[in-house]
């Protein structure tokens, strides 16, 4: 056998060449026992059936109540990257319940989640969740605890026939903003608009705003002095 030796020209013998410049010598780890760290699982189809059967049993246990539990509001996701998305929040704010004509105590008895710490930062979110509550109340069916003595607010017996259980993940689907764009022709004003010049002008006005005010004040004082001298 021949041993690899480095020659005076900077190369390594036995077919291996030295790397160029100051790079790392090739030393890839291909002789590891990689089968030891590979994990396999073959129960994915069975787990799917198991989860489906569990949902079916849960729906039968809590019927005719909704499978998703309580009604949740729609809120925007945090951070600038995802703030355009809508998702289910923790609970409705007190202002939203008040706009829908509900009290905090009564709302919790009819399957509505309440979050007394949450506040509405915009009118849009208040209107959106108020409309969500009103849509829920229109479709709400309340079964009396005692069928012989229904209380005020319970659904009449005639409407309790053929009531189907709500199996939606959010009870009322959460619809995000539409991604369709409105197509129109570009106007002449938009074609002639120069964004760069407008931004530079506004920057200059903001930077020299104090100087402009000082100049206007001096001109006004000078004109007042001239009028007084006349």
């Amino acid at each position: 056998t021949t041993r690899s030796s480095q020659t005076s020209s900077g190369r390594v013998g036995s077919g291996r060449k030295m790397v160029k410049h100051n790079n790392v010598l090739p030393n890839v780890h291909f002789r590891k026992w990689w089968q030891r760290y590979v994990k396999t699982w073959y129960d994915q189809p069975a787990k799917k059936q198991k989860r489906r059967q569990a949902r079916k049993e849960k729906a039968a246990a809590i019927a005719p109540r909704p499978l998703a539990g309580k009604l949740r509001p729609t809120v925007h996701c945090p951070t600038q990257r995802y703030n355009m998305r809508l998702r289910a929040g923790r609970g409705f704010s007190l202002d939203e319940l008040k706009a829908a004509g509900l009290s905090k105590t009564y709302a919790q008895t009819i399957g509505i989640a309440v979050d007394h710490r949450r506040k509405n930062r915009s009118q849009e979110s208040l209107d959106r969740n108020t409309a969500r509550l009103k849509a829920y109340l229109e479709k709400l069916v309340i079964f009396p605890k005692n069928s012989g003595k229904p209380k005020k607010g319970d659904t009449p017996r005639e409407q309790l026939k053929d009531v189907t259980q709500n199996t939606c993940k959010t009870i009322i689907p959460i619809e995000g903003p539409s991604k369709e764009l409105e197509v129109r022709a570009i106007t002449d004003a938009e074609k002639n608009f120069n964004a760069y010049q407008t931004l530079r002008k506004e920057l200059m006005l903001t930077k020299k705003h104090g100087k402009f005010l000082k100049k206007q004040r001096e001109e006004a004082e000078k004109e007042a002095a001239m009028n007084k001298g006349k």
Side-chain angles (χ1 to χ4, degrees):
T1 59
T2 59
R3 297 177 61 186
S4 61
S5 59
Q6 187 173 0
T7 61
S8 59
S9 61
R11 296 184 178 181
V12 180
S14 70
R16 290 185 62 186
K17 293 184 178 182
M18 194 67 180
V19 295
K20 290 184 177 181
H21 312 298
N22 194 25
N23 295 328
V24 182
L25 287 172
N27 187 22
V28 287
H29 297 246
F30 285 149
R31 299 192 179 187
K32 291 186 177 180
W33 187 15
W34 60 270
Q35 296 93 335
R36 180 180 181 180
Y37 308 103
V38 173
K39 181 180 179 182
T40 59
W41 62 93
Y42 305 100
D43 58 346
Q44 186 173 358
K47 288 289 185 180
K48 182 179 180 180
Q49 295 180 4
K50 186 177 180 180
R51 291 192 300 269
R52 184 177 182 181
Q53 184 65 23
R55 290 194 299 268
K56 188 175 180 181
E57 292 176 359
K58 179 183 177 182
I62 66 174
R65 293 187 292 270
L67 182 60
K70 294 184 178 182
L71 179 70
R72 308 280 177 179
T74 58
V75 297
H76 283 277
C77 298
T79 71
Q80 188 177 5
R81 183 174 183 179
Y82 300 105
N83 60 4
M84 76 293 295
R85 291 183 61 247
L86 285 176
R87 65 170 177 84
R90 182 182 181 88
F92 290 90
S93 66
L94 301 181
D95 292 336
E96 293 168 352
L97 296 174
K98 184 178 180 181
L102 296 172
S103 65
K104 179 179 68 172
T105 306
Y106 178 70
Q108 292 174 332
T109 62
I110 58 175
I112 297 176
V114 179
D115 186 7
H116 66 278
R117 297 168 298 180
R118 184 169 154 265
K119 298 180 181 179
N120 294 99
R121 304 295 183 182
S122 64
Q123 186 66 30
E124 289 79 4
S125 66
L126 177 64
D127 296 340
R128 182 175 63 247
N129 287 319
T130 302
R132 185 174 175 85
L133 284 171
K134 291 181 178 179
Y136 176 77
L137 294 175
E138 290 178 358
K139 301 178 182 180
L140 181 64
V141 176
I142 301 178
F143 284 78
K145 290 185 177 181
N146 189 350
S147 59
K149 298 179 180 179
K151 295 183 179 181
K152 181 181 179 181
D154 294 342
T155 305
R157 184 179 299 179
E158 297 79 15
Q159 300 180 10
L160 297 178
K161 299 178 181 179
D162 301 330
V163 176
T164 58
Q165 187 181 20
N166 189 313
T167 57
C168 181
K169 189 176 181 180
T170 55
I171 301 180
I172 298 177
I174 298 176
E175 298 179 358
S178 178
K179 296 183 180 180
E180 296 182 0
L181 300 178
E182 182 181 355
V183 181
R184 61 176 179 81
I186 301 176
T187 61
D188 295 337
E190 293 174 343
K191 292 180 180 179
N192 299 329
F193 178 72
N194 193 323
Y196 177 76
Q197 290 182 359
T198 304
L199 290 175
R200 293 297 299 178
K201 183 179 179 181
E202 293 297 329
L203 179 63
M204 185 265 296
L205 293 175
T206 304
K207 188 175 181 180
K208 299 183 178 181
H209 182 66
K211 292 183 179 181
F212 288 150
L213 292 179
K214 183 180 178 181
K215 186 177 180 180
Q216 291 178 0
R217 185 169 60 253
E218 290 177 353
E219 291 179 354
E221 292 176 356
K222 187 177 179 181
E223 185 177 356
M226 290 178 62
N227 294 334
K228 187 177 180 180
K230 293 181 179 179

